[in-house]
PDB file of all heavy atoms in Angstrom:
ATOM      1  N   ARG J  90      13.393   0.601  16.214  1.00 98.00           N
ATOM      2  CA  ARG J  90      13.402   1.750  15.277  1.00 98.00           C
ATOM      3  C   ARG J  90      13.950   1.349  13.903  1.00 98.00           C
ATOM      4  O   ARG J  90      13.369   1.683  12.850  1.00 98.00           O
ATOM      5  CB  ARG J  90      14.216   2.899  15.871  1.00 98.00           C
ATOM      6  CG  ARG J  90      14.465   4.074  14.955  1.00 98.00           C
ATOM      7  CD  ARG J  90      13.205   4.872  14.684  1.00 98.00           C
ATOM      8  NE  ARG J  90      13.488   6.067  13.912  1.00 98.00           N
ATOM      9  CZ  ARG J  90      12.560   6.874  13.437  1.00 98.00           C
ATOM     10  NH1 ARG J  90      11.297   6.653  13.668  1.00 98.00           N
ATOM     11  NH2 ARG J  90      12.898   7.940  12.750  1.00 98.00           N
ATOM     12  N   VAL J  91      15.076   0.700  13.872  1.00 98.00           N
ATOM     13  CA  VAL J  91      15.730   0.394  12.595  1.00 98.00           C
ATOM     14  C   VAL J  91      14.864  -0.578  11.774  1.00 98.00           C
ATOM     15  O   VAL J  91      14.608  -0.383  10.587  1.00 98.00           O
ATOM     16  CB  VAL J  91      17.139  -0.163  12.803  1.00 98.00           C
ATOM     17  CG1 VAL J  91      17.730  -0.685  11.500  1.00 98.00           C
ATOM     18  CG2 VAL J  91      18.067   0.946  13.351  1.00 98.00           C
ATOM     19  N   ALA J  92      14.363  -1.631  12.447  1.00 98.00           N
ATOM     20  CA  ALA J  92      13.532  -2.591  11.741  1.00 98.00           C
ATOM     21  C   ALA J  92      12.263  -1.899  11.236  1.00 98.00           C
ATOM     22  O   ALA J  92      11.782  -2.172  10.105  1.00 98.00           O
ATOM     23  CB  ALA J  92      13.147  -3.755  12.678  1.00 98.00           C
ATOM     24  N   TYR J  93      11.726  -0.997  12.000  1.00 98.00           N
ATOM     25  CA  TYR J  93      10.523  -0.237  11.598  1.00 98.00           C
ATOM     26  C   TYR J  93      10.798   0.568  10.325  1.00 98.00           C
ATOM     27  O   TYR J  93      10.016   0.508   9.351  1.00 98.00           O
ATOM     28  CB  TYR J  93      10.137   0.680  12.766  1.00 98.00           C
ATOM     29  CG  TYR J  93       9.045   1.672  12.487  1.00 98.00           C
ATOM     30  CD1 TYR J  93       7.710   1.288  12.423  1.00 98.00           C
ATOM     31  CD2 TYR J  93       9.346   3.034  12.282  1.00 98.00           C
ATOM     32  CE1 TYR J  93       6.707   2.212  12.193  1.00 98.00           C
ATOM     33  CE2 TYR J  93       8.360   3.978  12.053  1.00 98.00           C
ATOM     34  CZ  TYR J  93       7.032   3.543  11.993  1.00 98.00           C
ATOM     35  OH  TYR J  93       6.044   4.455  11.750  1.00 98.00           O
ATOM     36  N   LEU J  94      11.906   1.296  10.317  1.00 98.00           N
ATOM     37  CA  LEU J  94      12.254   2.058   9.106  1.00 98.00           C
ATOM     38  C   LEU J  94      12.505   1.150   7.901  1.00 98.00           C
ATOM     39  O   LEU J  94      12.135   1.492   6.789  1.00 98.00           O
ATOM     40  CB  LEU J  94      13.519   2.923   9.385  1.00 98.00           C
ATOM     41  CG  LEU J  94      13.325   4.064  10.403  1.00 98.00           C
ATOM     42  CD1 LEU J  94      14.671   4.761  10.651  1.00 98.00           C
ATOM     43  CD2 LEU J  94      12.286   5.079   9.946  1.00 98.00           C
ATOM     44  N   GLU J  95      13.122   0.030   8.168  1.00 98.00           N
ATOM     45  CA  GLU J  95      13.355  -0.914   7.077  1.00 98.00           C
ATOM     46  C   GLU J  95      12.037  -1.394   6.450  1.00 98.00           C
ATOM     47  O   GLU J  95      11.905  -1.451   5.238  1.00 98.00           O
ATOM     48  CB  GLU J  95      14.159  -2.147   7.563  1.00 98.00           C
ATOM     49  CG  GLU J  95      15.611  -1.831   7.783  1.00 98.00           C
ATOM     50  CD  GLU J  95      16.384  -2.984   8.438  1.00 98.00           C
ATOM     51  OE1 GLU J  95      15.751  -3.896   9.037  1.00 98.00           O
ATOM     52  OE2 GLU J  95      17.602  -2.962   8.406  1.00 98.00           O
ATOM     53  N   TRP J  96      11.041  -1.675   7.317  1.00 98.00           N
ATOM     54  CA  TRP J  96       9.773  -2.120   6.755  1.00 98.00           C
ATOM     55  C   TRP J  96       9.057  -1.021   5.957  1.00 98.00           C
ATOM     56  O   TRP J  96       8.402  -1.285   4.965  1.00 98.00           O
ATOM     57  CB  TRP J  96       8.851  -2.645   7.877  1.00 98.00           C
ATOM     58  CG  TRP J  96       9.192  -4.037   8.319  1.00 98.00           C
ATOM     59  CD1 TRP J  96       9.608  -4.441   9.542  1.00 98.00           C
ATOM     60  CD2 TRP J  96       9.142  -5.228   7.493  1.00 98.00           C
ATOM     61  NE1 TRP J  96       9.820  -5.819   9.569  1.00 98.00           N
ATOM     62  CE2 TRP J  96       9.526  -6.315   8.322  1.00 98.00           C
ATOM     63  CE3 TRP J  96       8.802  -5.485   6.189  1.00 98.00           C
ATOM     64  CZ2 TRP J  96       9.592  -7.608   7.850  1.00 98.00           C
ATOM     65  CZ3 TRP J  96       8.863  -6.801   5.702  1.00 98.00           C
ATOM     66  CH2 TRP J  96       9.266  -7.833   6.522  1.00 98.00           C
ATOM     67  N   LEU J  97       9.202   0.214   6.424  1.00 98.00           N
ATOM     68  CA  LEU J  97       8.582   1.332   5.641  1.00 98.00           C
ATOM     69  C   LEU J  97       9.196   1.344   4.240  1.00 98.00           C
ATOM     70  O   LEU J  97       8.489   1.477   3.237  1.00 98.00           O
ATOM     71  CB  LEU J  97       8.807   2.685   6.317  1.00 98.00           C
ATOM     72  CG  LEU J  97       8.152   2.930   7.674  1.00 98.00           C
ATOM     73  CD1 LEU J  97       8.340   4.397   8.093  1.00 98.00           C
ATOM     74  CD2 LEU J  97       6.682   2.612   7.692  1.00 98.00           C
ATOM     75  N   GLY J  98      10.521   1.204   4.158  1.00 98.00           N
ATOM     76  CA  GLY J  98      11.185   1.171   2.849  1.00 98.00           C
ATOM     77  C   GLY J  98      10.866  -0.067   2.053  1.00 98.00           C
ATOM     78  O   GLY J  98      10.643  -0.011   0.839  1.00 98.00           O
ATOM     79  N   PHE J  99      10.846  -1.203   2.765  1.00 98.00           N
ATOM     80  CA  PHE J  99      10.550  -2.491   2.100  1.00 98.00           C
ATOM     81  C   PHE J  99       9.199  -2.429   1.429  1.00 98.00           C
ATOM     82  O   PHE J  99       9.028  -2.888   0.298  1.00 98.00           O
ATOM     83  CB  PHE J  99      10.558  -3.589   3.173  1.00 98.00           C
ATOM     84  CG  PHE J  99      10.233  -4.968   2.678  1.00 98.00           C
ATOM     85  CD1 PHE J  99      11.243  -5.878   2.388  1.00 98.00           C
ATOM     86  CD2 PHE J  99       8.912  -5.385   2.491  1.00 98.00           C
ATOM     87  CE1 PHE J  99      10.937  -7.172   1.947  1.00 98.00           C
ATOM     88  CE2 PHE J  99       8.594  -6.640   2.014  1.00 98.00           C
ATOM     89  CZ  PHE J  99       9.611  -7.542   1.752  1.00 98.00           C
ATOM     90  N   ALA J 100       8.229  -1.810   2.106  1.00 98.00           N
ATOM     91  CA  ALA J 100       6.859  -1.734   1.541  1.00 98.00           C
ATOM     92  C   ALA J 100       6.891  -0.998   0.203  1.00 98.00           C
ATOM     93  O   ALA J 100       6.219  -1.370  -0.748  1.00 98.00           O
ATOM     94  CB  ALA J 100       5.927  -1.025   2.527  1.00 98.00           C
ATOM     95  N   GLU J 101       7.716   0.068   0.116  1.00 98.00           N
ATOM     96  CA  GLU J 101       7.776   0.805  -1.162  1.00 98.00           C
ATOM     97  C   GLU J 101       8.565   0.013  -2.226  1.00 98.00           C
ATOM     98  O   GLU J 101       8.240   0.095  -3.416  1.00 98.00           O
ATOM     99  CB  GLU J 101       8.414   2.180  -0.937  1.00 98.00           C
ATOM    100  CG  GLU J 101       7.560   3.376  -1.195  1.00 98.00           C
ATOM    101  CD  GLU J 101       6.400   3.208  -2.174  1.00 98.00           C
ATOM    102  OE1 GLU J 101       5.352   2.625  -1.792  1.00 98.00           O
ATOM    103  OE2 GLU J 101       6.479   3.689  -3.312  1.00 98.00           O
ATOM    104  N   THR J 102       9.575  -0.720  -1.822  1.00 98.00           N
ATOM    105  CA  THR J 102      10.300  -1.595  -2.790  1.00 98.00           C
ATOM    106  C   THR J 102       9.298  -2.578  -3.405  1.00 98.00           C
ATOM    107  O   THR J 102       9.242  -2.775  -4.628  1.00 98.00           O
ATOM    108  CB  THR J 102      11.408  -2.377  -2.050  1.00 98.00           C
ATOM    109  OG1 THR J 102      12.368  -1.428  -1.584  1.00 98.00           O
ATOM    110  CG2 THR J 102      12.097  -3.353  -2.977  1.00 98.00           C
ATOM    111  N   GLN J 103       8.509  -3.205  -2.516  1.00 98.00           N
ATOM    112  CA  GLN J 103       7.519  -4.190  -2.992  1.00 98.00           C
ATOM    113  C   GLN J 103       6.470  -3.513  -3.871  1.00 98.00           C
ATOM    114  O   GLN J 103       6.102  -4.016  -4.941  1.00 98.00           O
ATOM    115  CB  GLN J 103       6.899  -4.849  -1.778  1.00 98.00           C
ATOM    116  CG  GLN J 103       6.033  -6.033  -2.080  1.00 98.00           C
ATOM    117  CD  GLN J 103       5.554  -6.666  -0.777  1.00 98.00           C
ATOM    118  OE1 GLN J 103       4.979  -6.017   0.059  1.00 98.00           O
ATOM    119  NE2 GLN J 103       5.809  -7.953  -0.620  1.00 98.00           N
ATOM    120  N   ALA J 104       6.004  -2.333  -3.439  1.00 98.00           N
ATOM    121  CA  ALA J 104       4.955  -1.644  -4.193  1.00 98.00           C
ATOM    122  C   ALA J 104       5.438  -1.197  -5.565  1.00 98.00           C
ATOM    123  O   ALA J 104       4.678  -1.159  -6.527  1.00 98.00           O
ATOM    124  CB  ALA J 104       4.483  -0.416  -3.395  1.00 98.00           C
ATOM    125  N   SER J 105       6.755  -0.857  -5.643  1.00 98.00           N
ATOM    126  CA  SER J 105       7.274  -0.410  -6.954  1.00 98.00           C
ATOM    127  C   SER J 105       7.257  -1.568  -7.961  1.00 98.00           C
ATOM    128  O   SER J 105       7.061  -1.354  -9.151  1.00 98.00           O
ATOM    129  CB  SER J 105       8.644   0.206  -6.810  1.00 98.00           C
ATOM    130  OG  SER J 105       9.590  -0.789  -6.459  1.00 98.00           O
ATOM    131  N   ILE J 106       7.451  -2.811  -7.492  1.00 98.00           N
ATOM    132  CA  ILE J 106       7.363  -3.957  -8.374  1.00 98.00           C
ATOM    133  C   ILE J 106       5.907  -4.146  -8.843  1.00 98.00           C
ATOM    134  O   ILE J 106       5.636  -4.366 -10.018  1.00 98.00           O
ATOM    135  CB  ILE J 106       7.888  -5.242  -7.668  1.00 98.00           C
ATOM    136  CG1 ILE J 106       9.324  -5.058  -7.237  1.00 98.00           C
ATOM    137  CG2 ILE J 106       7.755  -6.422  -8.610  1.00 98.00           C
ATOM    138  CD1 ILE J 106       9.848  -6.177  -6.323  1.00 98.00           C
ATOM    139  N   ILE J 107       4.982  -4.007  -7.904  1.00 98.00           N
ATOM    140  CA  ILE J 107       3.565  -4.117  -8.256  1.00 98.00           C
ATOM    141  C   ILE J 107       3.159  -3.043  -9.252  1.00 98.00           C
ATOM    142  O   ILE J 107       2.473  -3.290 -10.245  1.00 98.00           O
ATOM    143  CB  ILE J 107       2.683  -4.046  -6.984  1.00 98.00           C
ATOM    144  CG1 ILE J 107       2.944  -5.271  -6.104  1.00 98.00           C
ATOM    145  CG2 ILE J 107       1.195  -3.943  -7.354  1.00 98.00           C
ATOM    146  CD1 ILE J 107       2.379  -5.159  -4.697  1.00 98.00           C
ATOM    147  N   ALA J 108       3.679  -1.838  -9.031  1.00 97.00           N
ATOM    148  CA  ALA J 108       3.377  -0.741  -9.942  1.00 97.00           C
ATOM    149  C   ALA J 108       3.884  -1.033 -11.364  1.00 97.00           C
ATOM    150  O   ALA J 108       3.230  -0.723 -12.348  1.00 97.00           O
ATOM    151  CB  ALA J 108       3.948   0.585  -9.400  1.00 97.00           C
ATOM    152  N   SER J 109       5.074  -1.643 -11.398  1.00 96.00           N
ATOM    153  CA  SER J 109       5.619  -1.999 -12.713  1.00 96.00           C
ATOM    154  C   SER J 109       4.755  -3.062 -13.402  1.00 96.00           C
ATOM    155  O   SER J 109       4.474  -2.967 -14.603  1.00 96.00           O
ATOM    156  CB  SER J 109       7.068  -2.498 -12.509  1.00 96.00           C
ATOM    157  OG  SER J 109       7.523  -3.193 -13.628  1.00 96.00           O
ATOM    158  N   LEU J 110       4.311  -4.057 -12.631  1.00 95.00           N
ATOM    159  CA  LEU J 110       3.434  -5.081 -13.198  1.00 95.00           C
ATOM    160  C   LEU J 110       2.084  -4.475 -13.609  1.00 95.00           C
ATOM    161  O   LEU J 110       1.557  -4.820 -14.673  1.00 95.00           O
ATOM    162  CB  LEU J 110       3.229  -6.220 -12.193  1.00 95.00           C
ATOM    163  CG  LEU J 110       4.440  -7.162 -12.030  1.00 95.00           C
ATOM    164  CD1 LEU J 110       4.344  -7.985 -10.752  1.00 95.00           C
ATOM    165  CD2 LEU J 110       4.505  -8.108 -13.234  1.00 95.00           C
ATOM    166  N   ASN J 111       1.570  -3.585 -12.791  1.00 94.00           N
ATOM    167  CA  ASN J 111       0.322  -2.899 -13.175  1.00 94.00           C
ATOM    168  C   ASN J 111       0.482  -2.156 -14.492  1.00 94.00           C
ATOM    169  O   ASN J 111      -0.372  -2.245 -15.368  1.00 94.00           O
ATOM    170  CB  ASN J 111      -0.095  -1.895 -12.092  1.00 94.00           C
ATOM    171  CG  ASN J 111      -0.681  -2.544 -10.868  1.00 94.00           C
ATOM    172  OD1 ASN J 111      -1.018  -3.742 -10.865  1.00 94.00           O
ATOM    173  ND2 ASN J 111      -0.847  -1.771  -9.786  1.00 94.00           N
TER     174      ASN J 111
END
Side-chain angles (χ1 to χ4, degrees):
R90 172 71 174 173
V91 171
Y93 172 77
L94 292 176
E95 284 173 343
W96 280 118
L97 296 187
F99 179 99
E101 244 335 77
T102 296
Q103 191 174 54
S105 68
I106 301 170
I107 294 167
S109 164
L110 285 162
N111 284 348

